[in-house]
Amino acid sequence: MAEDLGYLKNDPSFCTRAVHKSGNPDDWTHAPLVPPITLATTFKQNSPTKLGTHLYTRISNPTRDCLESCLAALEDAKHCLTVSSGLAALNTITHLLRPGDHLISMEDLYGGTYTFFKNIARNMGIEVQFTDLRDLSALKKALRRNTKMVWVETPTNPTMKLIDIAAVATTLKEHGAGAIMVVDNTFMSPYYQRPLTLGADIVMHSMTKYLGGHSDVVMGGILTNRDDLYEKLSFLRTIGGPVPSPFDCYLMTRSLKTLSLRMERHMSNGLAVARFLETHPCVEKVLHPGLPSHPQHELAKRQNYGHSGMFSFCVKGNDMAISTKFLTSLKVFTLTVSLAGPESICTLPATMTQNALYKERRERYGITDGLIRVSCGLEATQDLIEDIDQALRAAIPEGITSRL
Ligand code: P1T
């Protein structure tokens, strides 16, 4: 009770009205054109024994449901679960495994994924083996009776190697140990690659990238057609708890509406900049699956509907000082990590995303001090080309090129 200081007596129910007069939960059934952001953590029930569609937001939430239905439709998937980041998706999926299970992946993939397998999955008692999944005979040799998962990233981040999804899926079926095939589809988005239609069991996304597309939401996605996997993954998310916020789900649903338009612009900008770099005297090589010079260009055309704004290239000289000068001379591109936003980005994988690999190993996979990763955004093509050109010329002055 508040101390009586002689003021008028206030209405004791004021606070009750403040809590309850905003409306009756049963009345909120309007028809807004875009999904409402349902921030409620809990939902009113009419009976303790007959629970309604939603009970508690960690379990399900209407705004999240809208997003998941849309992403499932885009990925040609029966089920979708969104989680709080791409690595939360990796963590949730890996918990399908038990101690003693064998997992095969590549060493040459996103640094965070590699670090998770090497440190966390191994600590969970999972036997992790890295092999080059481009080589089907190496995969066949690596497969064992206890191989329960094969984790594919295609294209690989940042060296743009492609894995033949249908061929890996067929190999796993023939092997017959029931290994789950997971494909990280982050670099392509469902607009350009749909792994479930090629035989994968699970697709995962760092939705932080193309699906969000505006550099302002961190989120992960898990998609599957298999009811058994969906049930297990749904349980792992509910009890593991890595759910995204309803506000972020709203932003993500908004982003998906423009995915195809953005992807087409990312692709045309990426191809134009990559083609320009192929002719540049300061450039050693360009790694872009959409260029005929890429060793797996034919696979790209067979497996994909196009390509995103992602590619990598090697600056002549393969030298940290040259790469640093190039990256710090950029004016339109931003030097940072992450990718797939409207803003074009350049990254030095050797120090920024792949530093978990020792230099010697990195270089074995082509992640040298001269390898630059490019994420072409949505700016004018000519502005991007001119920026890259001036930064390369600042890093490698004319006249020196011929001596490199
Ligand atoms: O950052 P997060 O949403 O947790 O996603 C991790 C992830 C998973 N898979 C791929 C292929 C990725 O590229 C990433 C994140 N990558 C970066 C941040 C990067 O700069 O490459």
Side-chain angles (χ1 to χ4, degrees):
M1 277 287 271
E3 189 186 347
D4 187 354
L5 296 173
Y7 289 106
L8 294 172
K9 278 245 171 322
N10 211 339
D11 172 3
S13 292
F14 181 94
C15 49
T16 306
R17 279 185 282 129
V19 171
H20 289 285
K21 287 296 177 186
S22 53
N24 179 348
D26 295 324
D27 293 341
W28 294 324
T29 53
H30 320 292
L33 188 58
V34 295
I37 308 173
T38 302
L39 294 171
T41 53
T42 190
F43 299 83
K44 180 176 174 241
Q45 305 299 312
N46 295 324
S47 149
T49 53
K50 283 196 202 100
L51 299 179
T53 313
H54 299 287
L55 176 65
Y56 184 57
T57 276
R58 178 161 44 73
I59 304 168
S60 72
N61 171 281
T63 315
R64 198 168 79 213
D65 281 4
C66 290
L67 167 61
E68 291 174 349
S69 303
C70 184
L71 184 53
L74 300 184
E75 233 359 303
D76 277 342
K78 189 168 171 196
H79 305 290
C80 174
L81 291 161
T82 52
V83 289
S84 53
S85 69
L87 286 191
L90 166 69
N91 191 10
T92 304
I93 295 167
T94 311
H95 272 85
L96 290 169
L97 301 179
R98 299 188 174 282
D101 284 351
H102 180 233
L103 178 148
I104 301 174
S105 191
M106 304 246 296
E107 207 163 30
D108 176 16
L109 34 63
Y110 169 58
T113 307
Y114 167 74
T115 307
F116 180 91
F117 286 148
K118 198 166 135 271
N119 297 307
I120 299 181
R122 280 191 176 146
N123 283 348
M124 287 160 62
I126 296 163
E127 290 178 46
V128 178
Q129 183 175 350
F130 297 110
T131 192
D132 187 344
L133 294 172
R134 286 174 304 174
D135 178 357
L136 286 182
S137 61
L139 170 63
K140 281 180 195 157
K141 228 185 265 166
L143 284 169
R144 304 192 206 147
R145 294 318 309 167
N146 63 336
T147 305
K148 294 292 176 224
M149 190 171 283
V150 174
W151 189 282
V152 171
E153 185 177 286
T154 180
T156 56
N157 175 2
T159 51
M160 310 305 293
K161 290 166 189 150
L162 301 189
I163 313 303
D164 188 333
I165 298 170
V168 171
T170 305
T171 306
L172 297 188
K173 262 191 202 96
E174 282 166 6
H175 178 250
I180 299 164
M181 180 180 179
V182 187
V183 177
D184 182 334
N185 204 20
T186 300
F187 264 35
M188 298 300 275
S189 90
Y191 190 60
Y192 286 140
Q193 179 167 273
R194 297 195 270 284
L196 296 178
T197 65
L198 298 168
D201 298 297
I202 296 176
V203 164
M204 72 75 65
H205 281 282
S206 168
M207 298 173 72
T208 317
K209 309 300 179 325
Y210 283 112
L211 298 178
H214 292 73
S215 319
D216 57 3
V217 178
V218 175
M219 196 182 289
I222 306 172
L223 297 114
T224 184
N225 284 327
R226 282 178 50 178
D227 297 340
D228 60 330
L229 292 179
Y230 173 69
E231 262 163 46
K232 287 181 189 163
L233 289 162
S234 188
F235 172 80
L236 285 167
R237 181 182 66 175
T238 298
I239 303 304
V243 286
S245 81
F247 183 69
D248 283 354
C249 291
Y250 169 80
L251 285 177
M252 193 57 73
T253 305
R254 197 175 197 263
S255 290
L256 291 185
K257 293 179 202 264
T258 56
L259 180 67
S260 59
L261 298 173
R262 288 185 283 108
M263 292 313 290
E264 285 179 13
R265 183 58 179 257
H266 286 299
M267 175 171 169
S268 61
N269 269 349
L271 259 181
V273 177
R275 283 185 183 134
F276 168 75
L277 284 170
E278 270 206 315
T279 63
H280 203 286
C282 303
V283 171
E284 189 78 52
K285 65 174 170 194
V286 180
L287 308 169
H288 188 305
L291 295 177
S293 59
H294 191 282
Q296 295 166 295
H297 181 56
E298 289 309 312
L299 172 59
K301 288 194 286 183
R302 207 167 66 235
Q303 173 160 280
N304 304 134
Y305 302 94
H307 185 75
S308 67
M310 295 305 299
F311 71 91
S312 298
F313 71 98
C314 295
V315 184
K316 263 197 185 150
N318 189 24
D319 176 89
M320 185 61 78
I322 295 179
S323 298
T324 303
K325 181 69 183 157
F326 165 74
L327 290 164
T328 52
S329 300
L330 291 164
K331 294 185 170 77
V332 179
F333 281 83
T334 303
L335 167 62
T336 188
V337 295
S338 203
L339 51 118
E343 311 84 7
S344 290
I345 285 174
C346 278
T347 308
L348 190 69
T351 60
M352 298 174 78
T353 59
Q354 309 291 326
N355 34 348
L357 282 176
Y358 294 114
K359 187 171 162 71
E360 184 191 300
R361 273 197 171 161
R362 254 192 272 129
E363 301 215 328
R364 191 159 11 111
Y365 297 118
I367 307 166
T368 61
D369 291 350
L371 184 83
I372 311 283
R373 191 185 72 185
V374 182
S375 168
C376 276
L378 305 177
E379 302 94 333
T381 317
Q382 199 51 33
D383 291 341
L384 297 181
I385 289 176
E386 282 169 16
D387 190 36
I388 289 242
D389 187 35
Q390 67 76 24
L392 277 172
R393 290 182 194 283
I396 309 182
E398 272 176 89
I400 294 187
T401 342
S402 56
R403 281 190 271 129
L404 288 170

